[in-house]
Amino acid sequence: MATPSMEDYIEQIYILIEQKGYARVSDIAESLSVHPSSVTKMVQKLDKDEYLVYEKYRGFTLTPKGKKIGKRLVYRHDLLEELLRTIGVMEENIYNDVEGIEHHLSWNAIDRIGDLVQFFEEDESRVLALREIQKKNEVQE
């Protein structure tokens, strides 16, 4: 099972490969705000755990297992951002809030959040009703 730190790396590697076709140690270090040496150590661990294939000085590729998990981690992150946006969380808080909660939820909770987002998306009046409740609560505070 991947640790939260491993998940962050897998997610970022997946995103970089999707965007650029490759992921370099320097790109990962920059995007995660860590030292390249830390990336190299984690890449070696992810190789050992069969999330990616690492060849020294040649780069790395995600294994099918790594791709599957990477895709699911990106889905989780995007879904949580969508939920927070839907319920009216201020845009400047969303990224940090998602980073703070994404590793602490079970996949069952993620599935139920997906249901909730779908519930709001299927009927705009539900979002409008939520906004009315929020306005009423703001006045009372």
Side-chain angles (χ1 to χ4, degrees):
M1 190 72 181
T3 66
S5 180
M6 291 167 74
E7 287 183 349
D8 286 339
Y9 279 85
I10 294 168
E11 180 180 6
Q12 195 57 53
I13 292 166
Y14 180 86
I15 290 168
L16 287 167
I17 291 172
E18 288 292 302
Q19 290 174 346
K20 300 169 93 175
Y22 61 90
R24 297 181 315 200
V25 167
S26 59
D27 296 328
I28 298 164
E30 182 181 331
S31 62
L32 294 176
S33 300
V34 297
H35 293 286
S37 60
S38 298
V39 175
T40 300
K41 286 178 190 171
M42 181 58 80
V43 165
Q44 291 168 342
K45 179 167 179 41
L46 293 171
D47 177 52
K48 178 179 165 276
D49 292 347
E50 300 179 346
Y51 292 104
L52 56 79
V53 176
Y54 173 62
E55 295 179 45
K56 196 171 184 179
Y57 306 116
R58 300 210 56 185
F60 45 87
T61 57
L62 288 170
T63 62
K65 173 182 169 181
K67 284 180 187 175
K68 181 179 178 182
I69 290 173
K71 186 175 184 176
R72 189 151 187 186
L73 294 171
V74 169
Y75 166 77
R76 176 181 71 185
H77 188 99
D78 292 347
L79 178 66
L80 291 172
E81 281 191 1
E82 189 174 347
L83 171 69
L84 296 183
R85 205 167 274 117
T86 299
I87 64 172
V89 172
M90 292 186 303
E91 194 65 36
E92 62 266 21
N93 295 334
I94 290 177
Y95 181 81
N96 287 334
D97 287 348
V98 169
E99 287 298 310
I101 64 174
E102 67 183 337
H103 300 294
H104 301 285
L105 297 171
S106 68
W107 286 106
N108 178 253
I110 296 299
D111 290 341
R112 299 299 65 82
I113 288 168
D115 296 341
L116 182 61
V117 168
Q118 181 181 350
F119 173 78
F120 281 113
E121 286 176 341
E122 286 181 354
D123 186 345
E124 181 68 22
S125 69
R126 295 168 181 159
V127 175
L128 297 174
L130 176 61
R131 296 288 181 264
E132 288 301 316
I133 291 169
Q134 291 168 335
K135 284 181 190 172
K136 184 176 85 176
N137 289 340
E138 286 175 6
V139 172
Q140 293 176 356
E141 290 177 359

